[in-house]
Amino acid sequence: AQSVTQLDSHVSVSEGTPVLLRCNYSSSYSPSLFWYVQHPNKGLQLLLKYTSAATLVKGINGFEAEFKKSETSFHLTKPSAHMSDAAEYFCVVSVSSYKLIFGSGTRLLVRP
Amino acid sequence: DGGITQSPKYLFRKEGQNVTLSCEQNLNHDAMYWYRQDPGQGLRLIYYSQIVNDFQKGDIAEGYSVSREKKESFPLTVTSAQKNPTAFYLCASSTEPRVDGYTFGSGTRLTVV
């Protein structure tokens, strides 16, 4: 069965330092993977997606993620955190042609 | 601009009342979804619809009902049978989820008073 695990419920970084949000997945076939961001009381916005092309995927706002099949991971990174990056982030995996499942989320706190 | 519109943004319900949350999309997407979000629990699927006049239960359908009479619209009714309806409700749509993911609305926060 397909599943997705976000390894940290909260991550705290200082402004200007790197961001790492960790995600592991389980899938019986080559999955599609996504990262979404949610600001308070807002909908979810797509940051980036992996759909079996390049394993290093670049997204919006300077975020990127690397698909590592051997480690079943899809970690989200950003070289330098900005205050506006403070939000909740969701790692998502496709489980069928019409359905996605969501991780439990990682709340990113950015300290000034 | 194309997108998904959810209304209202905030909704208050009295005990024992049914309420309907609106979701309209102009993206020409075939599939539409309703999720419930509670603090610390991520997103849980309530109902989804792949085509007009057809829908399926998700993981937590009890106490909810939907209809899909038009491609653009997928309203969710929270019935009095839903014991704990206070939550943030998100509507999404997609044409090919494995390729494009979902597009989300801005959500409706429902509170029981």
Side-chain angles (χ1 to χ4, degrees), chain A residues 29-32 34 36 38 41-44 46 49-51 88 90 94 96-100 102-104, chain B residues 9-10 33 35 37 42-43 45 48 50 59 88 90 96-107 109:
Chain A
Y29 55 86
S30 183
S32 295
F34 308 83
Y36 281 82
Q38 184 183 32
N41 293 311
K42 302 289 187 184
L44 278 70
L46 181 65
K49 61 182 179 180
Y50 167 78
T51 56
E88 188 151 22
F90 292 93
S94 62
S96 71
S97 60
Y98 58 87
K99 190 176 175 184
L100 307 177
F102 290 75
S104 55
Chain B
K9 189 173 178 64
Y10 298 96
Y33 307 80
Y35 283 88
Q37 187 176 28
L43 276 70
L45 182 62
Y48 64 98
Q50 293 179 261
D59 302 315
F88 191 53
L90 287 160
E96 200 168 354
R98 289 201 64 185
V99 176
D100 300 317
Y102 295 161
T103 300
F104 281 88
S106 56
R109 184 164 297 282

Side-chain angles (χ1 to χ4, degrees), chain A residues 2-68:
Chain A
Q2 290 83 7
S3 65
V4 59
T5 302
Q6 293 185 243
L7 300 171
D8 307 293
S9 60
H10 294 81
V11 169
S12 181
V13 300
S14 297
E15 189 175 22
T17 65
V19 175
L20 170 63
L21 305 182
R22 299 182 296 164
C23 173
N24 286 353
Y25 70 92
S26 172
S27 178
S28 55
Y29 55 86
S30 183
S32 295
L33 294 156
F34 308 83
W35 277 98
Y36 281 82
V37 61
Q38 184 183 32
H39 289 92
N41 293 311
K42 302 289 187 184
L44 278 70
Q45 180 186 16
L46 181 65
L47 273 180
L48 50 79
K49 61 182 179 180
Y50 167 78
T51 56
S52 77
T55 56
L56 182 61
V57 181
K58 294 187 184 298
I60 61 172
N61 300 333
F63 284 95
E64 62 182 38
E66 186 171 7
F67 173 72
K68 291 187 176 181

